[in-house]
Amino acid sequence: MNELTGQWFDGRSSRALGVRLRLAMPGVLRVEDAQGDAHDWPLAEITLSPRLGSTPRMLRRHGHGQIECADSPLLDAWLPRHSSRIEAFADWLERRRTAIALAAFVTVLTTVGFVQFGVPALARVVAERIPQAVERHASAQVVVLLERSHLAPTQQSPDRQARLQREFAHLIQDEPRASQMQLRIVDAPGIGANAFALPDGRIYVTDQLLAQVGSDDALLAVLAHEAGHHVHRHGMRQALESSSVFLLAGMLFGDVSGSSLAVSIPAVLLSNGFSRGHEREADAYAFGLLERRGRSPQAFADMLRRLERSSPKGRAEGAAGYLSTHPPNPERIRAAEAAALTGAP
Ligand SMILES: [Zn+2]
């Protein structure tokens, strides 16, 4: 067999013409149609498309259209072409289903791995380099949003406010980034019992949470945890993480709808909460801080237990509740009690 069959698209009519191809003489390809009409194509004028798996190959001749035919070693004998390395590699991949499946698997694995570990690691590095001005700017927007609709002046007595401020100042003194931390006590019936740290160091605690935690010791345990979020820059990190995931999803699925940092922060703080990793990090920081101030992490466990008791079972927590973002789960209580026993965070 030194003959091939193909379909000739001559570029003038849309109809394909069945043709037979053979070498008429050295250097000339004879193209013969069903009527027996022969056309001689000098090999030097023909370009052969690269081999790509089992896809048909194209012989193109300027001004004469192209002939499509099944791949065959004859084509390479007639028209030896120097395929580039990339073409050869693409062909090699195309021919190996396992390689394709493996490549798809590696892509998925890489993406998942990047989202799971790469994004948080990257967010940590980036967050550490974000200037304070950016943290302040992002936080200011959140504060405007919050204060307009949710926050009112606290109803705590001036004495209690002053005492809490003194205790908080004592708690965080000499801690990293302490100079940026400010305690804001607010009345927030719309938000309910909650505490949260903004990226610029403002730590909010609501009258509603004060009512639930009871003692100052318990409140300081909450504040130590929130200070941990600030020290570890969780606000910025979480915002960066969620925007990078959106961005990455956008890159993968072709829809880059920008979600700015400022837009994602309120959602992060009030509904999603921080990631479990961030919560554990803030807890561990809180245990260490309480001990450095001569307090026991037991206060932390007590606070969680008390919160648990004050939330009746089966009652749906509001999306904004402190308990929905800081579940007093047995794991956290155990960790606090272990820290209280061993004296280590
Ligand atoms: Zn937290």
Side-chain angles (χ1 to χ4, degrees), residues 225-226 229 274 279 326:
H225 171 94
E226 294 304 322
H229 282 315
F274 291 115
E279 291 305 337
H326 295 86

Side-chain angles (χ1 to χ4, degrees), residues 38-234:
H39 311 261
D40 283 346
W41 283 25
L43 290 179
E45 292 179 16
I46 304 176
T47 342
L48 175 64
S49 70
R51 163 177 292 125
L52 193 64
S54 52
T55 56
R57 301 186 73 182
M58 296 290 181
L59 290 81
R60 295 189 183 88
R61 184 180 172 209
H62 187 72
H64 296 79
Q66 58 186 28
I67 299 170
E68 182 185 305
C69 64
D71 192 24
S72 152
L74 261 188
L75 286 173
D76 294 301
W78 295 340
L79 296 155
R81 64 191 302 285
H82 300 285
S83 61
S84 72
R85 279 164 182 240
I86 291 178
E87 282 172 12
F89 181 61
D91 176 54
W92 180 86
L93 272 184
E94 192 70 34
R95 284 168 185 280
R96 280 158 184 79
R97 281 168 193 273
T98 21
I100 298 168
L102 197 69
F105 181 66
V106 167
T107 304
V108 169
L109 211 66
T110 311
T111 309
V112 169
F114 183 69
V115 168
Q116 191 83 25
F117 306 107
V119 168
L122 203 64
R124 178 196 289 263
V125 174
V126 173
E128 277 167 12
R129 284 160 181 74
I130 285 181
Q132 273 185 37
V134 174
E135 291 180 333
R136 274 198 299 271
H137 179 72
S139 305
Q141 290 182 305
V142 179
V143 169
V144 168
L145 239 136
L146 280 174
E147 292 193 338
R148 196 168 48 206
S149 46
H150 296 299
L151 308 181
T154 174
Q155 299 187 15
Q156 305 299 316
S157 72
D159 278 356
R160 180 150 200 226
Q161 287 181 53
R163 194 176 71 238
L164 290 174
Q165 289 289 357
R166 262 199 318 277
E167 284 177 329
F168 178 69
H170 173 72
L171 180 75
I172 60 160
Q173 67 178 351
D174 305 326
E175 289 301 301
R177 310 187 84 213
S179 62
Q180 294 161 37
M181 283 191 252
Q182 286 176 18
L183 173 60
R184 302 280 174 98
I185 307 165
V186 291
D187 183 26
I191 290 179
N194 216 327
F196 48 86
L198 295 189
D200 68 350
R202 274 181 267 209
I203 292 176
Y204 282 85
V205 54
T206 65
D207 286 349
Q208 289 69 20
L209 185 71
L210 279 175
Q212 278 196 12
V213 297
S215 72
D216 286 5
D217 276 354
L219 180 72
L220 284 177
V222 170
L223 295 179
H225 171 94
E226 294 304 322
H229 282 315
H230 177 64
V231 168
H232 288 294
R233 300 170 200 264
H234 287 158

